[in-house]
Amino acid sequence: MKNIVTIQTPEYVQVPFETAGIVSRGIAKLVDFLVLSVILVPSSLISFAFLAMGDDPQNTELSILAALFFFITAALPLLYFVCLEYWMNGQTIGKKVLGLRVIHDRGGKASFSAVFLRNLLQLADLFPGFYVSGMIAIFLHREEKRIGDMIAGTLVVMEREKHQVLHFQASPLFLNEREVEILQRLSPISPEQYLMLESFLRRRNELLSQVRSAIAEQLIKKWWPEIETKAGCEEEFLEKVYLYLRKNIYPVHLPKIIPALIIGK
């Protein structure tokens, strides 16, 4: 049975997500541990070899090297989960295989501190009592969260198939005469809505494609219900609107156009 939760983004758009349950998360974790075992088994053997050679109290350098190598080996599981979940946008190898992703409670990419905190608390799962408590928490929580997810403000969701988002083929800083003519007829938006549009364009690269598409579609429907855009071209339309507004209605600090449109890609 699917568990659907609705997340409200800073743009006041509600996006439904299917949360990942105990079974899928357990299988993903098993895959990750299998991957980790390929690294940990040989590194552990090397660590014990270094420790055995470092028993000589007269060989201080070897003892320090042995302790350092042992510490790195012990930290590998935490490094694996933190680095992959942060740099692979919420996924480890196991999560990628199962189609899972860690996201922020507001629908965006989880910050490094949130990823680190949720995985630091995940170490408690190595102890049977804490592991059982974590499974119970997932089962009872409405959003199927572990204790680490509750504290870190993260959520594990089933990732939907990505939708391709079309971008400009030419320079995004160009508006032709026909586009200007159409944009002049649009209903005006308030300064607050304009800043909301700018915020979305700046941070969209941190969002899941599902969230990006939903926000773009809802902003157009709420602000310009008379406009119909081709599926997948909503962001292109918003880029054009932003450029027009920045040049003609809100021309202060014009150079901000460039980061707002390009960095977001």
Side-chain angles (χ1 to χ4, degrees):
M1 181 177 174
K2 294 182 179 180
N3 182 40
I4 306 297
V5 299
T6 301
I7 292 177
Q8 180 168 291
T9 72
E11 292 80 14
Y12 302 102
V13 173
Q14 294 187 334
V15 184
F17 283 97
E18 179 186 350
T19 58
I22 295 176
V23 176
S24 58
R25 292 172 71 168
I27 296 174
K29 187 65 66 66
L30 179 60
V31 173
D32 285 323
F33 281 138
L34 289 174
V35 173
L36 271 171
S37 66
V38 176
I39 306 171
L40 286 174
V41 170
S43 62
S44 298
L45 294 175
I46 296 173
S47 296
F48 286 122
F50 268 124
L51 287 174
M53 291 186 293
D55 281 340
D56 184 0
Q58 309 233 339
N59 197 338
T60 308
E61 292 182 0
L62 188 58
S63 297
I64 294 174
L65 183 61
L68 180 62
F69 199 91
F70 187 79
F71 174 78
I72 293 174
T73 301
L76 275 175
L78 181 61
L79 290 172
Y80 170 86
F81 285 102
V82 171
C83 292
L84 264 63
E85 283 187 2
Y86 182 71
W87 295 110
M88 289 178 60
N89 197 20
Q91 290 186 311
T92 59
I93 295 174
K95 288 184 176 67
K96 191 172 185 65
V97 171
L98 270 293
L100 312 182
R101 190 179 295 275
V102 177
I103 63 173
H104 189 271
D105 277 345
R106 301 297 296 274
K109 177 182 177 181
S111 65
F112 181 82
S113 59
V115 169
F116 179 80
L117 182 58
R118 77 178 298 274
N119 283 292
L120 184 64
L121 294 171
Q122 185 173 241
L123 293 178
D125 290 347
L126 298 176
F127 301 95
F130 285 102
Y131 182 79
V132 172
S133 300
M135 293 301 99
I136 293 175
I138 293 175
F139 183 75
L140 295 179
H141 197 277
R142 186 178 65 86
E143 297 177 348
E144 298 187 285
K145 288 190 174 189
R146 285 193 305 106
I147 297 173
D149 288 314
M150 297 179 202
I151 296 175
T154 53
L155 182 68
V156 183
V157 299
M158 303 292 295
E159 186 175 39
R160 292 183 181 177
E161 184 179 352
K162 292 186 177 180
H163 301 286
Q164 184 179 7
V165 179
L166 303 180
H167 298 300
F168 292 118
Q169 300 300 316
S171 169
L173 303 181
F174 175 76
L175 290 175
N176 60 44
E177 292 183 5
R178 175 60 179 164
E179 289 171 337
V180 172
E181 182 182 343
I182 294 173
L183 293 171
Q184 286 175 335
R185 301 174 185 171
L186 291 180
S187 305
I189 60 174
S190 67
E192 291 77 14
Q193 291 171 320
Y194 169 77
L195 292 175
M196 188 181 297
L197 172 60
E198 183 178 63
S199 173
F200 166 65
L201 292 175
R202 284 179 175 276
R203 74 186 190 92
R204 58 183 161 165
N205 199 44
E206 300 177 358
L207 303 174
L208 298 180
S209 59
Q210 174 188 351
V211 179
R212 286 178 64 163
S213 300
I215 292 176
E217 290 173 9
Q218 288 300 314
L219 290 182
I220 294 172
K221 286 180 181 179
K222 289 197 312 187
W223 296 346
W224 303 286
E226 71 278 11
I227 292 294
E228 291 185 10
T229 58
K230 184 179 178 181
C233 295
E234 292 84 4
E235 285 188 44
E236 178 179 344
F237 172 76
L238 291 177
E239 288 171 346
K240 297 280 189 178
V241 171
Y242 176 81
L243 180 58
Y244 172 78
L245 293 174
R246 172 60 78 182
K247 281 186 173 181
N248 298 281
I249 311 299
Y250 303 102
V252 181
H253 303 307
L254 185 59
K256 288 175 67 179
I257 296 173
I258 297 176
L261 292 180
I262 296 180
I263 291 179
K265 301 213 183 198

